[in-house]
Amino acid sequence: MNKNNPHTTHPLFLHINRFTDIREDDFEEILGAFQTLKVKKKEHLMLADTLCDKQFFVLNGCLNMYFIDANGSKQTLQFAIENWWITDYLAFGNEQKTEFFIQSVEPATILSIDFSSQEQLLERFPKLEKYFRKVLQIAYGASLMRVKYQFELSKEEIYLHFTRNFPDFEQRVPQYLIASYLGLTPEYVSEIRRKQLS
Amino acid sequence: MNKNNPHTTHPLFLHINRFTDIREDDFEEILGAFQTLKVKKKEHLMLADTLCDKQFFVLNGCLNMYFIDANGSKQTLQFAIENWWITDYLAFGNEQKTEFFIQSVEPATILSIDFSSQEQLLERFPKLEKYFRKVLQIAYGASLMRVKYQFELSKEEIYLHFTRNFPDFEQRVPQYLIASYLGLTPEYVSEIRRKQLS
């Protein structure tokens, strides 16, 4: 690889090459299909009741996908940090309206690609089909494990399992968002943390 | 298409062609990568603590993926009926041991493909990458919606939503398995059903 080419150290180039092989010469064109978004803390990238025609790749920062429940509270469904993809895949695949919001938890730099640009990109570079297949296979596999943990673990174990597996989140994400993601109350999470610290 | 070719009406041929285009001439070779399994009711296709190197496509019948919880009870994570793919995707992708069982709910005919045969098949027919990507995109998107329903709906609404969206299941799958999938007790499901019938 050419050490003078900054693309070879681009997070998306490295991430794609974990799963398939893309030449650095092609990466410039691939990157051209994306928009780079610099977002502030608490900025929205996707709003409920609007067309979901984009998916997002986190270069740095943290995103939160949530919905508003019947009580008007935000319920976190999913986080995304560096090297994670996020969107409402059901709405994205069908080019439909979403029921979800995507918001930054902290200042973030995001790559965004719309549905038709992705389709064109995949026509032009069919090797990227393997990349997205593998990324989705991991995401779906992990979601099955998440259901297992919800069934299997006590509330306290769910929290401890999450913070052990994703230690970054505890530092970066407000406690009430982690609580919401895990289906716990913020008060309960405070109680566990107090117990741990004592 | 050649009407005398039975492949054009094969469920997998039709399913692949919903998402990508595969020529019927190629389908015979594609089908050759799969094993056809005829399983009786309650037969296991996958056992916990064994290597997960296969994924399954249901031609007819119904499969149930579950784990055994700390109390020794079966907890259903996922069903698969006609045209659904099922495996432990995290273990399958990493060629690791699984924590899950896959068992038939009723007599079933299943296509099975192992990890290395699938990799070879995808090398030979890269168009199938798109097929699997789209299937996984839907599965992952649906799993996010499932989390949403678990957060958002009351126990009764969870049950009614499921049976309205998948009316087949109520007829085909024992009530205690539906209860387990939805995270409800069998007694609670009986109570809802009594209320509905009265």
Side-chain angles (χ1 to χ4, degrees), chain A residues 110-175:
Chain A
I110 306 296
L111 292 179
S112 160
I113 189 163
D114 65 47
F115 184 84
S116 60
S117 301
Q118 192 195 6
E119 291 292 304
Q120 285 165 28
L121 190 66
L122 290 165
E123 286 291 320
R124 176 90 179 84
F125 300 102
K127 278 191 172 181
L128 291 177
E129 291 281 4
K130 183 187 286 288
Y131 169 62
F132 284 107
R133 172 178 65 86
K134 296 229 167 183
V135 163
L136 287 162
Q137 188 164 295
I138 292 168
Y140 178 51
S143 78
L144 289 172
M145 286 308 261
R146 180 178 175 189
V147 179
K148 180 173 187 273
Y149 296 138
Q150 289 284 347
F151 274 135
E152 189 183 30
L153 302 181
S154 69
K155 287 181 177 186
E156 182 164 353
E157 285 168 339
I158 283 174
Y159 179 78
L160 296 178
H161 183 272
F162 179 80
T163 51
R164 259 181 228 132
N165 279 271
F166 305 102
D168 275 4
F169 277 86
E170 212 180 355
Q171 308 305 320
R172 292 170 60 176
V173 176
Q175 204 165 297

Side-chain angles (χ1 to χ4, degrees), chain B residues 80-96:
Chain B
I81 54 168
E82 288 77 16
N83 289 339
W84 290 27
W85 285 93
I86 195 166
T87 195
D88 171 358
Y89 280 101
L90 223 46
F92 179 73
N94 295 323
E95 295 178 89
Q96 285 175 341

Side-chain angles (χ1 to χ4, degrees), chain A residues 99 129-130 133 148, chain B residues 99 129-130 133 143 148:
Chain A
E99 299 170 31
E129 291 281 4
K130 183 187 286 288
R133 172 178 65 86
K148 180 173 187 273
Chain B
E99 298 171 32
E129 291 281 6
K130 184 187 285 290
R133 172 178 65 89
S143 78
K148 179 174 189 274

